[in-house]
Amino acid sequence: MAPPTPSPRPGPPPTPQGGSLATPLRTPASKHRLHFPATTPKNAHHGGGVGAATEHPVEVIGRIRNLSSGGASALEIAGGGTAVRVRGDAGGCRDFTLDGVSVSEEEDLEGFYRRFVRSRIEGVRVGAKCTVMVYGPTGSGKSHTMFGCAKQPGIVYRALRDLLEGGGGGEGEGSAGGGEDDAGFGAGLFVQVAVLEIYNEEIYDLLVGSGANAKGNAPKARLEVMGKKAKNATYLSGNEAGKISREVAKVEKRRIVKSTLCNDRSSRSHCMIILDVPSVGGRLMLVDMAGSENIEAAGQTGFEAKMQTAKINQGNTALKRVVESIANGDSHVPFRDSKLTMLLQDSFEDDKSKILMILCASPDPKELHKTVSTLEYGAKAKCIIRAAHAATPRDKISSEESSTMLNSRIVAMNQFIYKLQKENKLREKERNEAQNLLRLKEEELTQVRAKLKLIEGQEKAAKEEEINSKVMEKTQTLRSELTKMEEAMLRQQEELTALKQRLQEVEHEKADARQPVQQDFIGGRLLARLSEMPAGLDQSMSMVMSMELDTGDQPQDVKVIKEDTRQQGHIWNHTGTAGVCTGAVVQEDDVRLSGYPEKFVLSTVFEEGDEEDAERDSGLEEVCKEVVQESFKVDTTQHALAEPDDPATRKHRIENIFRLCGNHREVAKKPKVQSPTKEVFADENRSPAKHLFGEESKSAAKQAYGNENREPLAWGALETPMCDVKVAESPVSSQLSPIVCQVVDEPLSEQLKSCSTVEDSDQNKENSFAGHKEQDGLLEVYIKWESGNLIQGLKLLQNSCLSDLRKLIEAHFEEAGGKEQHQFTFLLLRDPSGAPVSREKEASVQISQLPHWNNQPDSYLACLRAAKKPAVDHMPFSPLDSKLNSVVKDTHLAGVLSPKVNQMSPNYIRELRA
Ligand SMILES: Nc1ncnc2c1ncn2[C@@H]1O[C@H](COP(=O)(O)OP(=O)(O)OP(=O)(O)O)[C@@H](O)[C@H]1O
């Protein structure tokens, strides 16, 4: 039961410093039980002041809310702001002296907080323990004072801000404030916050189930009290005022409220917010008590409502009894009567703990009874004193000094901790940024690696495809070439077989003829030569060699027709021959066998097996035939072949033929053997040629060899007329390639010109010869000795050099039989020094470097100086050379061979392999 409200006793009004001295507000019952401290005005004003021998641990502040309904206020401030005067309906009044009084109409929550609460928070920051509780009837403004409203935050949020931010910050709901007193306390603190609800004498943890992932109506956790504290309570930890304030605001809404007649949102439970500051050992307990109310006044009906109200009042009543017990000095204080007093036990018993009790009262006259009851309760609590031990002056000084030092150390530690926390935050932020950057770099690296791998794969595939395509291409080319080579070899073998058969046929025919010896001599040799040809040689030959022996009514000339010389751009025409021209171009070593008894023509034909070449040769073949026929015509008309050559010349020519056939040695070593050929040659009168051309007439050979009678001076040095030898690509003539040599018999040309008026055929022949010269683009070189004797005229290719010319001249000398003349050197007349050209440099001196002959563009003059050193006795037609070996060993000669030869040459095969 609440003690009866003391009736105001008339007396002098309380002084502004506190009316406790002048007006002892004591209830009769407590008069002898309570020890009213002799408080000084200072102590009374500031509250919490420490007396000389006793301590006043409970400070009571009156908070009068504004009047919601009209009418006069039943309360007024008295005693200089430390007392509340309650005016009754009868005009009487009663004053209650408190530690302070605040009227909400005059002072908002901010002012109230700064004037009465903030100093307590400062103490907590340095390790003090303080309990701030609001007490009053329902609807008096307890929750409003503790939590505030939307416009102004209450004590809870302001205390959080001051604790965590040192009073200098401003964030969230605790950011309101300003002025000089808003100066911060220093660095922020780390706090632990627990929010408990005491409802129906049960303790609930409001933080349980209030997290971000919590559902709206999550059940509250019920806690047990162990000792003086709730067991296993949940704490909010941190130093961010805004974050913790938001959490507390959210939790506060979980309180059980109910609409009553006195309050639309009446708190049905006590709410306790506990803020521990571990770093300094401070503790702040904020207690919003449920309204102490009259059940009938609150309109609570029903058993449950009555029981609920009874429970609320149980806590309030237990607190009153505790206060009275403490105030009366009882040996037993009933802290265990309720959960609220159990949790508040430390607040009353701990010497370092102080209590700030805020009495909320309504100025409504209808609430006068409850207001007086509350003030009496506060007055009783204010009477609580704590016996203090007598302190010596020394202890007092040391205590003050140590307190100051500890406070300064605490502040320093707090600042240091705050600094560390800031640095930690900064480093954590930098670490996060570095991790993000590293992650981005790793992603870029992964992408680049993937691209590189892709590119490498593409390049590798492209290279493999390219290599494969090249290999396939080369393989196909080689296969085709191999096929062609095999076909060519087969053709060669077939033709060789045909030649052998042909020779056998000829041999048979000759066996029936009247000249068996000669037949055996020539045909047998050719057959033997062909038979001796090794198979490998046959296969390696790029040319198809054929020899044709023909008999007929033609003059018995031996015609050596050599292979195509078109590679050298030369077409040779000869007079006085009637041989069969089976090659594309005929080049003859025309040796007249005037003494041969039969009309016998031996022709050696080298023809290419390539059908395409044969087609191209067809035109030239026609020309050749025409020329041969025309020559025969001229000879027939003029009976030109008047006399055979002297025996030595004839022998030499025959030897040439035999060389071609490979039997030179036999002829040379057996001069005494009367060969059929010799017999034939000896009997010149029996020669059909003699019969045809006549002895007096000028023979074609004579024309070709030069007319010494017409120009004796010019040809004085000519020992033996050069035979008309055209050497082209053949096994025998390969030593003279690539030059094309022929005798340029200028007098003969002149003679032919002179004869052109007589015979049209001569004109045709000359035109043909000139035409060939122009078409061939040959160079005419006239040879003379240094003494001035003209030797002979020759024809060479455009790119011929002195070494080529030397070969021709030496061949000429050998033909002439004067070996002493083989030794000579060229004089380079164009050179100012006129020095002779060494043998080594002849290959590098082109014919075009020689001086022109008679200022004609394609005619040149070569001057020879006789040398003493004997020249090498080289037989141009040695048996070794006449092996019919067409394999070109000299690369210099390879370029002038036929395409077929070139294709089959080792160089050409190496190129194919490459
Ligand atoms: N000082 C004040 N200024 C303005 N309004 C106030 C003041 N005090 C209280 N009120 C208003 O009065 C109503 C009741 O206040 P409050 O809930 O704080 O009372 P209470 O004492 O907590 O009641 P209960 O014990 O039933 O919870 C609220 O609407 C509140 O806004």
Side-chain angles (χ1 to χ4, degrees):
M1 292 296 290
T5 303
S7 58
R9 187 174 57 187
T15 59
Q17 287 79 19
S20 58
L21 294 176
T23 307
L25 300 175
R26 304 171 185 168
T27 61
S30 63
K31 190 173 181 178
H32 60 280
R33 295 171 58 190
L34 292 178
H35 303 283
F36 293 96
T39 55
T40 60
K42 179 181 178 182
N43 290 338
H45 182 70
H46 293 288
V50 178
T54 60
E55 184 181 7
H56 188 64
V58 179
E59 187 176 8
V60 180
I61 304 296
R63 170 71 174 170
I64 302 173
R65 60 162 294 179
N66 52 353
L67 188 60
S68 57
S69 60
S73 174
L75 302 176
E76 60 182 28
I77 297 176
T82 58
V84 178
R85 178 170 290 173
V86 180
R87 292 188 180 277
D89 296 335
C93 64
R94 185 179 174 183
D95 292 339
F96 292 91
T97 302
L98 304 175
D99 293 315
V101 178
S102 171
V103 178
S104 61
E105 288 182 344
E106 300 173 357
E107 187 178 41
D108 57 2
L109 282 175
E110 182 184 355
F112 174 79
Y113 173 81
R114 280 194 293 174
R115 191 153 71 100
F116 296 105
V117 182
R118 197 165 187 246
S119 60
R120 302 287 179 173
I121 305 304
E122 291 179 25
V124 173
R125 285 179 57 85
V126 295
K129 295 180 179 177
C130 178
T131 300
V132 179
M133 62 175 67
V134 287
Y135 182 84
T138 180
S140 60
K142 299 185 292 293
S143 299
H144 178 82
T145 302
M146 188 60 73
F147 294 100
C149 60
K151 294 180 180 178
Q152 46 185 344
I155 294 173
V156 174
Y157 305 114
R158 293 178 189 274
L160 278 172
R161 185 198 65 181
D162 286 344
L163 270 181
L164 298 174
E165 299 180 354
E171 185 179 356
E173 297 176 2
S175 62
E180 296 178 356
D181 292 339
D182 281 342
F185 305 140
L189 295 175
F190 178 82
V191 298
Q192 292 178 329
V193 182
V195 182
L196 304 178
E197 180 184 39
I198 302 170
Y199 174 70
N200 285 342
E201 283 300 307
E202 295 289 347
I203 301 174
Y204 296 95
D205 190 345
L206 292 182
L207 290 177
V208 174
S210 66
N213 299 326
K215 297 179 181 178
N217 296 321
K220 302 167 187 174
R222 192 169 62 182
L223 302 179
E224 297 295 332
V225 177
M226 178 175 286
K228 303 173 186 177
K229 296 181 181 178
K231 183 182 178 182
N232 296 329
T234 305
Y235 289 92
L236 281 174
S237 301
N239 54 3
E240 299 178 8
K243 185 176 180 180
I244 295 177
S245 296
R246 284 191 291 273
E247 287 295 326
V248 171
K250 190 163 58 177
V251 168
E252 188 267 337
K253 292 184 173 55
R254 300 184 71 189
R255 288 181 65 186
I256 297 174
V257 296
K258 189 175 183 180
S259 177
T260 64
L261 293 176
C262 304
N263 188 359
D264 295 337
R265 194 175 183 275
S266 177
S267 302
R268 299 289 88 192
S269 64
H270 309 290
C271 181
M272 184 176 293
I273 300 172
I274 304 170
L275 292 91
D276 283 312
V277 186
S279 59
V280 296
R283 166 172 280 201
L284 175 65
M285 296 182 68
L286 303 173
V287 183
D288 178 19
M289 299 183 67
S292 61
E293 57 199 15
N294 189 306
I295 296 177
E296 290 76 14
Q300 300 298 305
T301 57
F303 178 78
E304 186 179 356
K306 290 181 179 177
M307 286 301 295
Q308 189 181 64
T309 304
K311 292 285 184 182
I312 293 172
N313 287 333
Q314 180 183 351
N316 292 333
T317 303
L319 183 60
K320 280 183 180 179
R321 287 201 296 266
V322 165
V323 170
E324 287 181 357
S325 296
I326 294 173
N328 293 334
D330 295 342
S331 58
H332 173 72
V333 179
F335 289 110
R336 310 295 297 181
D337 288 353
S338 73
K339 298 293 175 55
L340 177 65
T341 53
M342 291 171 69
L343 297 178
L344 290 175
Q345 184 174 355
D346 269 349
S347 299
F348 287 99
E349 292 185 342
D350 193 344
D351 292 341
K352 295 181 180 179
S353 179
K354 293 184 178 179
I355 298 174
L356 176 65
M357 182 177 289
I358 300 173
L359 301 176
C360 293
S362 173
D364 192 346
K366 297 177 184 176
E367 304 289 335
L368 185 62
H369 177 73
K370 291 186 285 185
T371 301
V372 170
S373 175
T374 301
L375 289 175
E376 285 182 346
Y377 172 75
K380 192 173 290 184
K382 191 179 180 314
C383 294
I384 294 174
I385 59 171
R386 182 178 293 152
H389 64 280
T392 62
R394 184 177 178 179
D395 292 339
K396 185 178 179 182
I397 293 172
S398 62
S399 177
E400 289 178 353
E401 287 179 351
S402 63
S403 177
T404 305
M405 289 177 60
L406 287 174
N407 287 337
S408 61
R409 287 181 60 186
I410 289 170
V411 171
M413 288 176 63
N414 288 334
Q415 291 176 350
F416 179 70
I417 292 170
Y418 182 72
K419 183 181 177 182
L420 290 179
Q421 289 172 345
K422 278 196 169 181
E423 289 180 353
N424 189 26
K425 281 185 181 178
L426 186 63
R427 288 174 183 170
E428 191 173 357
K429 185 178 179 183
E430 290 177 354
R431 188 188 65 182
N432 293 334
E433 291 177 355
Q435 286 179 347
N436 292 333
L437 188 63
L438 180 63
R439 192 177 66 252
L440 291 176
K441 293 293 182 186
E442 287 178 350
E443 290 177 355
E444 290 180 2
L445 184 62
T446 305
Q447 293 177 355
V448 169
R449 282 179 178 169
K451 287 182 180 177
L452 182 62
K453 196 173 182 181
L454 185 63
I455 291 173
E456 286 179 351
Q458 291 177 350
E459 288 182 351
K460 191 175 180 181
K463 284 183 179 178
E464 287 181 354
E465 288 181 359
E466 185 179 359
I467 291 173
N468 290 334
S469 63
K470 284 184 178 178
V471 168
M472 292 295 294
E473 203 173 312
K474 204 70 179 177
T475 304
Q476 290 179 355
T477 306
L478 290 176
R479 284 178 179 171
S480 63
E481 294 293 338
L482 182 62
T483 305
K484 289 181 180 178
M485 290 170 67
E486 290 174 352
E487 292 175 353
M489 289 165 58
L490 289 175
R491 286 198 300 271
Q492 289 173 6
Q493 288 179 351
E494 291 174 357
E495 292 188 6
L496 182 61
T497 305
L499 282 174
K500 288 179 181 178
Q501 293 176 356
R502 179 68 181 278
L503 281 175
Q504 289 176 356
E505 292 173 4
V506 170
E507 189 175 3
H508 287 299
E509 291 175 0
K510 292 302 176 185
D512 299 335
R514 286 173 295 180
Q515 302 294 336
V517 178
Q518 183 177 358
Q519 174 187 348
D520 293 339
F521 184 76
I522 299 177
R525 281 296 173 187
L526 291 174
L527 183 59
R529 289 290 300 164
L530 292 175
S531 301
E532 290 172 2
M533 289 174 66
L537 182 61
D538 295 342
Q539 293 178 359
S540 63
M541 287 174 64
S542 62
M543 297 178 295
V544 177
M545 184 185 68
S546 66
M547 298 185 68
E548 181 178 295
L549 292 174
D550 191 10
T551 58
D553 297 334
Q554 304 302 324
Q556 297 177 2
D557 293 344
V558 175
K559 177 181 287 186
V560 180
I561 303 174
K562 299 192 175 90
E563 67 170 322
D564 188 2
T565 58
R566 288 165 300 150
Q567 294 295 329
Q568 300 172 348
H570 179 72
I571 301 174
W572 176 249
N573 179 23
H574 188 266
T575 61
T577 60
V580 177
C581 182
T582 58
V585 177
V586 180
Q587 188 174 13
E588 307 172 357
D589 185 0
D590 188 9
V591 179
R592 300 180 182 279
L593 306 178
S594 56
Y596 199 75
E598 295 292 333
K599 298 177 181 178
F600 186 85
V601 175
L602 173 62
S603 62
T604 302
V605 180
F606 297 92
E607 60 180 329
E608 295 186 4
D610 195 346
E611 297 178 0
E612 296 177 1
D613 293 341
E615 292 177 3
R616 287 184 297 174
D617 295 340
S618 61
L620 298 174
E621 184 180 2
E622 293 299 326
V623 174
C624 175
K625 289 179 179 178
E626 290 177 7
V627 172
V628 172
Q629 292 172 0
E630 192 66 29
S631 300
F632 177 77
K633 201 174 183 179
V634 170
D635 292 341
T636 304
T637 304
Q638 296 181 352
H639 304 281
L641 190 59
E643 292 181 359
D645 294 328
D646 57 273
T649 303
R650 288 201 301 272
K651 177 186 177 184
H652 189 76
R653 290 176 180 170
I654 292 170
E655 284 177 354
N656 281 343
I657 296 172
F658 291 160
R659 285 190 195 102
L660 292 173
C661 299
N663 59 356
H664 169 73
R665 187 168 297 175
E666 286 78 2
V667 174
K669 289 183 178 179
K670 300 177 182 178
K672 295 180 180 180
V673 176
Q674 187 68 22
S675 67
T677 306
K678 196 87 174 178
E679 292 178 1
V680 172
F681 292 172
D683 191 0
E684 299 171 2
N685 297 328
R686 295 169 60 188
S687 169
K690 186 177 179 181
H691 172 72
L692 288 174
F693 300 105
E695 295 179 357
E696 293 79 15
S697 61
K698 193 175 290 183
S699 68
K702 200 168 185 177
Q703 293 177 8
Y705 302 158
N707 189 348
E708 296 120 356
N709 297 329
R710 291 184 58 188
E711 295 182 10
L713 294 178
W715 296 96
L718 188 62
E719 299 152 354
T720 303
M722 265 182 145
C723 63
D724 292 345
V725 178
K726 289 186 70 175
V727 183
E729 293 305 320
S730 71
V732 178
S733 63
S734 60
Q735 296 292 330
L736 299 179
S737 295
I739 59 172
V740 173
C741 60
Q742 74 174 57
V743 175
V744 179
D745 195 348
E746 187 65 24
L748 174 63
S749 301
E750 293 296 330
Q751 182 185 13
L752 291 175
K753 285 180 182 178
S754 63
C755 298
S756 63
T757 55
V758 180
E759 295 293 336
D760 292 337
S761 59
D762 290 350
Q763 181 65 41
N764 294 335
K765 177 183 176 183
E766 182 66 19
N767 291 340
S768 175
F769 177 71
H772 283 302
K773 280 170 58 179
E774 293 175 2
Q775 292 175 2
D776 296 340
L778 299 175
L779 302 178
E780 294 179 353
V781 183
Y782 294 91
I783 314 300
K784 66 182 286 293
W785 290 106
E786 186 179 12
S787 58
N789 296 330
L790 183 62
I791 303 173
Q792 187 56 281
L794 299 173
K795 276 194 172 183
L796 293 95
L797 291 175
Q798 290 282 358
N799 55 353
S800 301
C801 56
L802 291 183
S803 59
D804 302 327
L805 181 58
R806 171 177 287 278
K807 291 178 182 178
L808 283 182
I809 294 173
E810 288 176 354
H812 163 67
F813 286 153
E814 187 178 0
E815 187 79 14
K819 291 191 175 182
E820 68 279 1
Q821 298 297 336
H822 293 179
Q823 302 168 3
F824 62 89
T825 55
F826 289 103
L827 295 178
L828 194 59
L829 296 181
R830 273 190 177 181
D831 187 79
S833 64
V837 180
S838 63
R839 188 73 173 266
E840 293 75 15
K841 294 183 179 179
E842 288 178 0
S844 61
V845 178
Q846 298 290 323
I847 297 299
S848 58
Q849 293 181 248
L850 296 174
H852 286 287
W853 170 265
N854 289 337
N855 295 324
Q856 296 191 11
D858 291 333
S859 298
Y860 298 92
L861 175 62
C863 187
L864 307 183
R865 173 179 291 174
K868 295 179 180 179
K869 185 178 179 181
V872 178
D873 187 10
H874 177 70
M875 297 295 290
F877 299 106
S878 65
L880 182 63
D881 296 334
S882 57
K883 289 293 183 183
L884 299 177
N885 185 2
S886 64
V887 177
V888 179
K889 297 180 181 178
D890 189 356
T891 55
H892 177 67
L893 304 177
V896 298
L897 295 177
S898 65
K900 196 67 181 179
V901 175
N902 280 337
Q903 288 180 4
M904 299 303 292
S905 67
N907 290 335
Y908 181 69
I909 295 175
R910 275 194 293 273
E911 291 176 4
L912 286 177
R913 290 174 179 171

